[in-house]
């Protein structure tokens, strides 16, 4: 999949849908968590559209994506408190990479989890990265069945609860106009 993400990286930020999605995700995030002074992990950061919005008030951000071309676009934004990392999220990466030495206050993932073949495993890793009372917030396209690019509320609730999050709330805070029509976005907020 990394190659397909590499192929779209150059034009990603110029697509109005991706920018609107990032704006609305950030707006919905601000209603749940104050990012000011937070140590944040932006998982599946892409070109850093969400990191760019959090950066002015966040303490620092580790921005991870498996697409080198997406990270190159993030680098061009020159966000002083964002550390870009090109890799997959694995236990090995977490054990070895210096960026993961301290626990995070917040982990965000914008339109990432429904593309993972191992959402449950990744949610478990994310849980281990969070400080006590930390939050994992992710947004994905709402679907009536679990499929690549879409997620059901039931699946998100079940996975996040099963890995140990003490509080899990799933909402549908916004819709986006896409070439395929209006699409609803699921927002999962899980507290450790």
């Amino acid at each position: 999949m990394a190659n397909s993400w590499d192929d779209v990286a150059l034009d990603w930020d110029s697509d109005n849908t991706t920018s609107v999605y990032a704006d609305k995700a950030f707006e919905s995030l601000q209603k749940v968590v104050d990012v000011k002074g937070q140590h944040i992990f932006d998982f599946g950061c892409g070109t850093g559209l969400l990191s760019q919005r959090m950066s002015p008030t966040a303490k620092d951000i580790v921005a991870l994506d498996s697409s080198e071309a997406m990270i190159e676009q993030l680098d061009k934004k020159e966000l002083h408190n964002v550390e870009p990392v090109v890799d997959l999220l694995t236990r090995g990466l977490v054990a070895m990479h210096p960026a993961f030495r301290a626990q995070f206050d917040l982990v965000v993932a914008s339109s990432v989890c429904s593309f993972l073949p191992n959402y449950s495993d990744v949610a478990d890793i994310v849980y281990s990265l969070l400080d006590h009372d930390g939050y994992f917030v992710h947004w994905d396209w709402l679907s009536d069945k679990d499929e690549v690019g879409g997620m059901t509320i039931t699946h998100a609730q079940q996975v996040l609860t099963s890995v140990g999050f003490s509080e899990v709330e799933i909402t549908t805070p916004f819709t986006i106009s896409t070439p395929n029509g209006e699409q609803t976005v699921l927002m999962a907020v899980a507290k450790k």
Side-chain angles (χ1 to χ4, degrees), residues 64-82:
L64 175 78
D65 202 277
S66 62
S67 166
E68 191 170 338
M70 287 283 193
I71 293 292
E72 286 172 4
Q73 296 304 309
L74 168 60
D75 282 339
K76 291 178 183 176
K77 293 180 170 80
E78 298 181 356
L79 304 171
H80 74 282
N81 60 344
V82 175

Side-chain angles (χ1 to χ4, degrees), residues 13-66:
D13 288 5
S14 60
D15 180 343
N16 187 52
T17 303
T18 59
S19 185
V20 169
Y21 195 112
D23 285 340
K24 290 184 180 253
F26 183 59
E27 287 170 21
S28 63
L29 176 65
Q30 289 180 296
K31 293 175 183 171
V32 178
V33 179
D34 183 3
V35 301
K36 185 176 182 182
Q38 300 288 296
H39 178 51
I40 300 171
F41 174 33
D42 187 353
F43 168 53
C45 65
T47 62
L49 290 172
L50 189 54
S51 281
Q52 190 173 18
R53 286 151 177 81
M54 296 185 296
S55 174
T57 59
K59 176 183 175 190
D60 55 18
I61 301 169
V62 174
L64 175 78
D65 202 277
S66 62

Side-chain angles (χ1 to χ4, degrees), residues 16-182:
N16 187 52
T17 303
T18 59
S19 185
V20 169
Y21 195 112
D23 285 340
K24 290 184 180 253
F26 183 59
E27 287 170 21
S28 63
L29 176 65
Q30 289 180 296
K31 293 175 183 171
V32 178
V33 179
D34 183 3
V35 301
K36 185 176 182 182
Q38 300 288 296
H39 178 51
I40 300 171
F41 174 33
D42 187 353
F43 168 53
C45 65
T47 62
L49 290 172
L50 189 54
S51 281
Q52 190 173 18
R53 286 151 177 81
M54 296 185 296
S55 174
T57 59
K59 176 183 175 190
D60 55 18
I61 301 169
V62 174
L64 175 78
D65 202 277
S66 62
S67 166
E68 191 170 338
M70 287 283 193
I71 293 292
E72 286 172 4
Q73 296 304 309
L74 168 60
D75 282 339
K76 291 178 183 176
K77 293 180 170 80
E78 298 181 356
L79 304 171
H80 74 282
N81 60 344
V82 175
E83 179 179 350
V85 178
V86 180
D87 212 328
L88 295 169
L89 181 60
T90 63
R91 293 190 189 288
L93 172 71
V94 170
M96 301 300 293
H97 199 289
F100 296 93
R101 294 254 157 73
Q103 298 293 97
F104 292 96
D105 302 307
L106 171 65
V107 176
V108 295
S110 181
S111 196
V112 176
C113 294
S114 62
F115 291 95
L116 300 171
N118 56 346
Y119 170 49
S120 186
D121 293 341
V122 168
D124 194 43
I125 294 170
V126 166
Y127 182 85
S128 74
L129 292 172
L130 280 167
D131 211 353
H132 182 68
D133 288 335
Y135 284 90
F136 176 31
V137 181
H138 76 77
W139 301 264
D140 283 281
W141 297 114
L142 178 67
S143 180
D144 57 1
K145 63 181 191 256
D146 292 311
E147 57 191 348
V148 174
M151 185 177 289
T152 65
I153 290 174
T154 303
H155 184 61
Q157 182 83 40
Q158 182 270 323
V159 167
L160 295 170
T161 304
S162 72
V163 299
F165 284 101
S166 63
E167 297 173 28
V168 177
E169 183 180 1
I170 316 290
T171 60
T172 52
F174 58 91
T175 58
I176 301 274
S177 294
T178 72
N180 301 328
E182 288 287 312

